[in-house]
Amino acid sequence: MNTHTFETGTEAFERDVLQASANVPVLVDFWAPWCAPCRALKPVLEKLAGEYKGRFLLAKVNSDEHPQLSARYGVRGIPNVKAFVEGKLADEFTGALPESEVRAFIDRLIPTPGEKLRRTARALLNQGDFDEAERNLRSGLELEPDNHEIRLDLVELLLANNSHAEADQLFAPIPERERDERADRLYSVLALWKKSREMPPIDVLEAKLATDPDDLNSRLALGERLVADMQFEPALAALLEVVRKDRGALRTSARKLMVDVFSLAENQDELVSKYRKLLAGALY
């Protein structure tokens, strides 16, 4: 054993593994004294834990002594190594792998310098320190320009600050074939922003609606402008009105955009839940 390897169990698992994994990855080795492959894997894991000098921690769980813990995490065969990152199960393997494969498994878990800056930025965002978060993301992207997660985090932050032009420039290097669901959502926001530049300003649209509340083309345009500005609640209200009052193409466009907003505002549970119900009521 070394200072980065320790025994843990049911009572201490929350502290030793889940909480500790907020700082560094924690590998949990579920083993038993009678298990020959466990004895083969043990020195490999302990050697690497010492070699990596705290970049990951190795927690050992005797599955015979802690059957409930093994059952909770679905251990069906041993040795079973489960990796926890930020309190969640991130990856695992079963069996006595050779050292080269175990090393590759660990390397995939350890954050790069850019990823460390990204995690710091996320923590700063949670604390409301947007300027420092932005500085960390920019530094991370300088180190790792091909890291799409850092790039998308920065794009999201810039959109929240209404810096659409720079967000669009930063998004551009991501190839279409490499876009995930989040990238597609942000692409939709940027596409709306580009379209909105050809539309009247929000105050002009609001003035037109004050004169003619039944001008559904202007109401849909207002919803599109508000989505592009990440003002989701007033956007949903405007789009819902179109859905309620139109039975043609405008209704279809408004409904589709509302569904897109539900994805864009996925972290605003109450807002999304409220307007999902209202949309369902308007449609059916």
Side-chain angles (χ1 to χ4, degrees):
M1 290 246 191
N2 53 65
T3 55
H4 309 300
T5 301
F6 54 90
E7 299 280 352
T8 191
T10 306
E11 293 183 359
F13 197 85
E14 172 77 25
R15 180 199 65 214
D16 290 349
V17 176
L18 301 184
Q19 292 180 13
S21 70
N23 300 314
V24 293
V26 180
L27 270 61
V28 182
D29 175 23
F30 288 89
W31 68 285
W34 48 264
C35 168
C38 296
R39 292 195 295 272
L41 182 63
K42 176 178 180 290
V44 173
L45 290 171
E46 292 183 359
K47 172 192 173 186
L48 293 174
E51 180 181 322
Y52 278 65
K53 298 179 180 178
R55 285 187 289 159
F56 80 91
L57 300 177
L58 175 61
K60 303 181 68 62
V61 174
N62 185 325
S63 57
D64 285 351
E65 295 178 355
H66 301 279
Q68 291 180 334
L69 194 57
S70 297
R72 183 192 308 169
Y73 288 102
V75 176
R76 294 179 176 84
I78 54 174
N80 183 201
V81 175
K82 296 182 183 288
F84 290 82
V85 176
E86 296 184 347
K88 297 179 181 178
L89 179 63
D91 205 350
E92 64 180 294
F93 69 84
T94 301
L97 300 182
E99 181 179 324
S100 59
E101 293 185 30
V102 177
R103 186 184 296 275
F105 176 86
I106 293 167
D107 287 341
R108 289 194 298 271
L109 297 166
I110 294 176
T112 61
E115 182 62 24
K116 288 181 179 178
L117 287 166
R118 176 178 178 247
R119 293 183 184 182
T120 299
R122 288 169 62 188
L124 289 165
L125 285 172
N126 289 334
Q127 297 166 15
D129 192 344
F130 300 102
D131 291 342
E132 191 61 29
E134 182 178 335
R135 280 191 283 272
N136 275 268
L137 289 172
R138 290 186 185 279
S139 296
L141 194 58
E142 286 181 8
L143 290 173
E144 300 172 19
D146 294 329
N147 188 320
H148 295 339
E149 295 304 310
I150 299 175
R151 186 175 294 274
L152 291 175
D153 282 359
L154 184 53
V155 167
E156 283 186 332
L157 182 55
L158 289 170
L159 287 174
N161 290 334
N162 288 319
S163 299
H164 291 70
E166 186 179 4
D168 188 46
Q169 291 178 347
L170 280 170
F171 186 91
I174 302 177
E176 185 174 354
R177 66 181 181 277
E178 295 181 17
R179 291 179 196 161
D180 57 12
E181 185 176 342
R182 178 168 72 136
D184 284 340
R185 291 199 303 269
L186 293 173
Y187 176 81
S188 297
V189 172
L190 290 166
L192 275 172
W193 168 72
K194 291 175 184 176
K195 182 179 178 181
S196 73
R197 296 169 73 190
E198 302 170 1
M199 298 177 185
I202 287 176
D203 58 348
V204 172
L205 291 169
E206 289 176 336
K208 289 179 70 175
L209 287 168
T211 303
D212 182 5
D214 293 325
D215 181 355
L216 297 184
N217 283 294
S218 292
R219 196 169 294 279
L220 177 61
L222 176 62
E224 291 174 336
R225 284 299 308 258
L226 290 167
V227 172
D229 288 347
M230 309 287 275
Q231 298 183 49
F232 295 137
E233 186 162 12
L236 288 169
L239 295 168
L240 180 65
E241 195 68 12
V242 177
V243 172
R244 285 172 170 163
K245 292 185 175 181
D246 189 73
R247 290 294 179 269
L250 295 180
R251 185 188 213 218
T252 300
S253 296
R255 179 198 60 78
K256 183 179 182 300
L257 187 51
M258 287 186 74
V259 173
D260 289 342
V261 173
F262 295 154
S263 295
L264 292 167
E266 61 183 355
N267 62 334
Q268 300 180 40
D269 295 337
E270 290 186 11
L271 178 67
V272 171
S273 177
K274 172 184 174 181
Y275 277 93
R276 279 191 189 279
K277 293 175 182 176
L278 290 172
L279 177 59
L283 291 173
Y284 306 111

